[in-house]
Amino acid sequence: MLPNVISKTITLEDGREIIIETGALAKQADGAVVVRMGKAMLLATVVSKKEAGEGVDFLPMSVDYQEKFAASGKIPGGFLKREGRLSDYEILISRIVDRAIRPIFPDDYHADTQIAITLMSADADVLPDCLAGLAASAALAVSDIPFNGPISEVRVAKIDGQLVINPTPTQLEKASLEFIVAGSEEYILMVEGEADEISEDEMVEAMQLAHEEIKRHCQVQKELTKAVGKEVKREYNHEKSDPALYEKMHAELYQKCYDVVSKQIANKSERSDLIKAIKEGFIESLGEEHEFESSLIGPYFSKIHKEAARNLTLDEKKRLDGRKLDEVRPIWSVVDYLPSAHGSAVFTRGETQSVTTCTLGTKMDEQMIDGAMISGYNKFFLHYNFPGFSTGEVKPNRGPGRREVGHGNLAMRALKKVLPKDDENPYTIRIVSDILESNGSSSMATVCAGSLALMDAGIQIKAPVTGIAMGMISDAKTGKYSILSDILGDEDHLGDMDFKVTGTEKGITACQMDLKVEGLDYNVLKEALYQAKEGRLHILREITKTLSAPKPDLKPHTPRSFIMTILKELIGAVIGPGGKVIQEIQKDTGATIVIEEKDNAGKINIFSNDQDSMNAAISRIKGIVAQPEIGETYTGKVKNIMPFGAFVEFMPGKDGLLHISEIKWERLENMEGVLEPGEEIQVKLIDVDKKTGKFKLSRKVLLPKPEKTDN
């Protein structure tokens, strides 16, 4: 019996359709949908336990987005030939969905929840990442899991001056801005993307258009929920409560917390110790035997502390560390800090510090990408490391987590917009940011340090990039709000918005925004963007005191590059049989040589730390690719002696026949004792056979012609 499939269709302005289906696949999950667009198909499932774990006071949710290689007719590379751990790209999409979905769950819902989104079928003209959030929300919409949705995600791009929703990959190549925007019918939840130095108004315009499309997606999901009969969600009770305890704690501790935050202590550890002492004092005052629920003391105290800190900012316009709302913490920076690195910088802002290196490599150092949808090579990548000691914690080093991948990607997006074009930059560039201290926005410190490291390395970027993290504390009842520049870690925790913006003096290059509050007004958003601009420009003025423009040359120990273009037909001559020729050149000169066919020609990149080595390699290659000219004289080396003459290598890789009749003016009966293998002689190219291409040489024409004598 065929399943009862229920489907709904979303039609985009250009006529393309997004179809949401449920009822055919994965029916044992709490919710499952298939989202189609063209040939692309995503399966999204959600499963959530009925009860919360003991003592859990948060939402333990995981979101995994995975692209099956079979979806695009490919077999995975590597030894195992199967999908393994999520790639960085899949992790980034998982994070985007997580950041959009997590805020729509009720605050008191704490059951283990898992959302899985799988690309089952690919379409070269459809980017599936912008459908993942819609698929996840639709799976929740057809389940009985409580959530305050629906939501959706779209990609918005400006192409040839026009804003486009969910563009094709070909269209996206020409985009001047590209954002993935998530939201509900009422408000924006998440924004992430990059741009070519755009204005703040352009960014808001793009977000508004995206939100209009999102509203339509949400309406269709509501229709789907009604069609499957899932309007009523499951009942749950995941939180204990003790009103008497909360009232007692609030009465005794609120003012104490307010007094501590009012001191506006800049040092994070000192401030934390004073707050911790209040909590410990209260626990001691209760004694060992008391009538209250002990497990609630921690959550209730955090709530009271958060309320006190928020009210300080809303009522008195004061911040935890004593700064003004738009004030950036003190900054210091240096470049060329690590003498052996190709480029390095230290950037410190308040209690956040990044040591960043820039390493330049050859084409052979490019990163190979083997994905279901994306394959190829990447010549610019940025790695971000966040060790435990940066926050004074003990944490085992288990490799980069999702947070590290996400922060590194944001910084990479910010910086790649100012790099030289590929045809102007022969190098593979790796940026590594090691966070040595952290108290707010280490990803933005990475952007600043990365700019300095690139300029220190001598990479001719268009302009330095800086970044700032913005926050907001608001009260919907009173309408009060405060926008905070360069937020602390504590301000990020207690605030309603985390908004990171990067850019040059000219405009925005990347952004990442997460909202924790409903109904952010676009005028408030504009105010935050323009306040962020002032902060970015202030940081820019500070770092340019250290280094204002790229250094004119590379470091002495950085590999130099020389680019040559040769005829396509000569690529084989440079490589030689089995790579023999190019390997000999590299061995003899010490240079690294990369050759490829591009634009119907041979492109040769020569890398070397030594100029003499570089010159020797260039000379050898020029000798191979130089075209012999009839009438030119060459110094050749005798390779083989034959009865009818000798074969002479007169140019690298080019042999010609020196016939016995062309050696001397005098007639030679045989070759015995005339020439020796390895002997160097002067020869002239006198002809090239038009049919065979063989070279004919002469030595005698370079010798004086003997005068005739009378007998």
Side-chain angles (χ1 to χ4, degrees):
M1 184 176 69
L2 294 175
N4 179 29
V5 177
I6 299 172
S7 68
K8 294 292 177 179
T9 301
I10 301 167
T11 304
L12 301 180
E13 284 191 1
D14 59 6
R16 291 178 297 162
E17 291 183 340
I18 301 172
I19 301 170
I20 310 172
E21 299 176 348
T22 187
L25 304 182
K27 290 189 287 184
Q28 293 189 44
D30 289 331
V33 298
V34 172
V35 173
R36 300 171 181 263
M37 186 174 180
K39 296 178 182 178
M41 295 173 59
L42 281 82
L43 170 66
T45 61
V46 58
V47 177
S48 186
K49 291 184 177 180
K50 297 292 192 297
E51 302 297 331
E54 184 68 29
V56 176
D57 61 352
F58 63 96
L59 175 62
M61 183 179 73
S62 63
V63 177
D64 294 309
Y65 170 83
Q66 186 175 39
E67 296 182 346
K68 297 292 186 181
F69 277 75
S72 55
K74 296 173 63 177
I75 295 175
F79 179 76
L80 294 177
K81 297 297 180 184
R82 67 176 297 165
E83 289 83 0
R85 68 177 293 273
L86 298 185
S87 67
D88 283 0
Y89 171 75
E90 291 167 324
I91 287 172
L92 292 169
I93 304 308
S94 301
R95 274 175 51 87
I96 285 175
V97 176
D98 188 301
R99 286 160 44 205
I101 288 285
R102 191 175 292 273
I104 68 172
F105 278 87
D107 291 338
D108 59 351
Y109 190 79
H110 305 320
D112 272 327
T113 303
Q114 184 176 35
I115 297 174
I117 309 152
T118 306
L119 178 68
M120 308 292 287
S121 176
D123 187 328
D125 291 327
V126 177
L127 291 164
D129 56 350
C130 58
L131 302 174
L134 168 62
S137 176
L140 284 166
V142 300
S143 77
D144 68 342
I145 299 169
F147 82 120
N148 301 320
I151 65 102
S152 188
E153 289 178 352
V154 299
R155 174 179 274 107
V156 58
K158 180 170 277 190
I159 300 156
D160 297 328
Q162 298 295 317
L163 290 171
V164 178
I165 297 295
N166 290 354
T168 67
T170 303
Q171 289 176 313
L172 199 59
E173 292 175 0
K174 301 184 292 182
S176 60
L177 69 82
E178 178 240 320
F179 300 124
I180 287 185
V181 182
S184 66
E185 278 191 296
E186 295 79 23
Y187 55 93
I188 295 290
L189 284 163
M190 188 278 309
V191 181
E192 177 153 337
E194 59 190 62
D196 294 336
E197 300 175 285
I198 63 168
S199 69
E200 285 70 16
D201 288 343
E202 281 185 272
M203 181 173 172
V204 173
E205 180 189 13
M207 292 170 60
Q208 288 175 315
L209 178 68
H211 194 201
E212 291 304 312
E213 182 66 28
I214 286 168
K215 291 176 183 178
R216 296 174 58 240
H217 294 197
C218 292
Q219 187 58 45
V220 171
Q221 289 180 72
K222 286 184 175 180
E223 295 171 8
L224 183 66
T225 300
K226 187 175 181 179
V228 298
K230 291 293 183 180
E231 297 100 319
V232 178
K233 304 299 182 180
R234 71 177 65 159
E235 294 183 359
Y236 66 95
N237 182 13
H238 294 166
E239 281 192 354
K240 296 178 181 178
S241 64
D242 191 335
L245 174 62
Y246 181 73
E247 290 176 11
K248 176 179 176 62
M249 291 182 66
H250 196 278
E252 292 184 21
L253 305 181
Y254 174 82
Q255 190 59 46
K256 293 180 180 179
C257 288
Y258 196 90
D259 290 343
V260 169
V261 297
S262 296
K263 292 180 180 180
Q264 298 181 289
I265 300 168
N267 185 276
K268 178 177 70 171
S269 297
E270 185 179 345
R271 189 170 62 245
S272 297
D273 288 344
L274 291 174
I275 292 294
K276 184 179 178 182
I278 296 173
K279 177 182 174 183
E280 291 176 346
F282 176 77
I283 294 173
E284 290 178 7
S285 72
L286 293 177
E288 292 185 5
E289 296 185 7
H290 56 80
E291 57 183 324
F292 301 112
E293 177 60 55
S294 298
S295 64
L296 295 176
I297 293 176
Y300 282 170
F301 182 76
S302 296
K303 185 177 179 181
I304 293 165
H305 172 221
K306 183 176 181 178
E307 180 186 355
R310 287 170 62 88
N311 287 341
L312 174 73
T313 301
L314 286 172
D315 297 337
E316 301 187 42
K317 301 299 180 184
K318 293 181 179 179
R319 299 177 68 172
L320 296 178
D321 60 352
R323 283 181 291 148
K324 297 176 183 178
L325 299 185
D326 61 353
E327 185 178 350
V328 177
R329 287 170 289 177
I331 292 168
W332 68 266
S333 58
V334 295
V335 295
D336 201 15
Y337 185 74
L338 304 173
S340 296
H342 296 161
S344 65
V346 180
F347 176 85
T348 306
R349 184 195 61 244
E351 294 177 300
T352 297
Q353 183 178 75
S354 168
V355 173
T356 295
T357 57
C358 174
T359 306
L360 308 184
T362 70
K363 183 175 178 60
M364 290 184 290
D365 295 310
E366 289 181 355
Q367 179 185 32
M368 185 175 72
I369 300 171
D370 179 30
M373 289 291 294
I374 303 173
S375 298
Y377 293 87
N378 181 21
K379 64 184 297 183
F380 175 63
F381 37 97
L382 188 150
H383 295 143
Y384 165 101
N385 300 314
F386 192 84
F389 65 77
S390 65
T391 53
E393 298 174 285
V394 176
K395 186 176 73 172
N397 184 4
R398 295 290 184 266
R402 292 191 175 193
R403 179 183 180 278
E404 284 84 348
V405 172
H407 280 33
N409 180 69
L410 176 60
M412 181 276 294
R413 282 182 144 181
L415 293 171
K416 78 174 185 179
K417 291 296 182 179
V418 298
L419 291 176
K421 295 179 181 179
D422 283 353
D423 56 358
E424 299 170 357
N425 171 45
Y427 295 103
T428 297
I429 301 174
R430 182 187 185 221
I431 303 289
V432 178
S433 171
D434 290 299
I435 303 303
L436 305 189
E437 290 184 62
S438 181
N439 184 13
S441 194
S442 53
S443 62
M444 297 297 94
T446 296
V447 172
C448 300
S451 282
L452 289 170
L454 281 165
M455 293 193 294
D456 181 52
I459 297 297
Q460 300 303 303
I461 61 175
K462 287 195 293 184
V465 182
T466 55
I468 190 169
M470 307 295 293
M472 184 181 70
I473 297 173
S474 62
D475 187 338
K477 295 179 181 178
T478 64
K480 293 180 180 179
Y481 69 90
S482 296
I483 298 171
L484 311 178
S485 296
D486 180 26
I487 56 174
L488 302 169
D490 288 343
E491 290 173 330
D492 182 11
H493 173 68
L494 60 87
D496 301 316
M497 178 178 75
D498 179 13
F499 193 1
K500 299 181 178 72
V501 191
T502 74
T504 65
E505 187 174 19
K506 184 179 176 182
I508 295 169
T509 60
C511 76
Q512 184 182 92
M513 181 177 76
D514 294 292
L515 282 173
K516 311 167 194 175
V517 64
E518 298 182 8
L520 176 65
D521 186 271
Y522 279 106
N523 290 324
V524 177
L525 179 58
K526 280 188 178 181
E527 184 180 339
L529 276 169
Y530 279 100
Q531 188 170 317
K533 180 179 181 180
E534 292 303 314
R536 284 194 294 107
L537 295 178
H538 166 76
I539 297 170
L540 181 63
R541 289 190 291 270
E542 290 298 309
I543 71 166
T544 51
K545 291 177 184 177
T546 301
L547 188 60
S548 60
K551 291 183 176 179
D553 196 10
L554 308 176
K555 301 283 180 67
H557 53 280
T558 300
R560 264 53 178 176
S561 169
F562 183 83
I563 300 175
M564 295 175 63
T565 301
I566 64 173
L567 295 173
K568 183 175 69 173
E569 295 77 14
L570 297 175
I571 294 175
V574 176
I575 296 174
K580 179 181 178 182
V581 174
I582 197 169
Q583 289 172 12
E584 283 184 355
I585 297 173
Q586 291 183 112
K587 180 180 178 181
D588 295 343
T589 65
T592 298
I593 303 168
V594 179
I595 184 168
E596 60 180 336
E597 183 181 334
K598 189 175 181 182
D599 300 329
N600 205 35
K603 301 289 184 180
I604 301 177
N605 276 351
I606 306 171
F607 298 89
S608 176
N609 288 337
D610 178 79
Q611 193 60 49
D612 290 340
S613 169
M614 175 77 75
N615 292 340
I618 293 171
S619 177
R620 291 276 293 272
I621 294 173
K622 282 185 174 179
I624 295 171
V625 301
Q627 296 301 300
E629 295 183 26
I630 295 175
E632 285 293 316
T633 300
Y634 301 93
T635 300
K637 182 181 290 187
V638 177
K639 304 292 285 185
N640 293 306
I641 306 293
M642 306 296 289
F644 50 82
F647 285 102
V648 178
E649 185 180 42
F650 64 99
M651 291 180 66
K654 293 180 174 58
D655 296 347
L657 174 62
L658 179 61
H659 193 268
I660 190 171
S661 63
E662 294 292 336
I663 296 176
K664 293 183 178 182
W665 289 105
E666 296 83 7
R667 177 182 174 84
L668 296 176
E669 297 296 333
N670 56 61
M671 292 294 297
E672 187 175 347
V674 177
L675 295 171
E676 296 292 334
E679 181 180 348
E680 288 191 352
I681 58 173
Q682 293 286 309
V683 293
K684 187 174 184 177
L685 179 61
I686 57 174
D687 196 12
V688 180
D689 191 297
K690 293 181 180 180
K691 291 184 179 180
T692 64
K694 293 181 178 180
F695 303 107
K696 298 180 180 180
L697 306 174
S698 175
R699 180 173 177 254
K700 73 179 185 181
V701 296
L702 300 177
L703 302 174
K705 187 174 183 180
E707 296 181 5
K708 291 184 179 181
T709 56
D710 296 330
N711 292 331

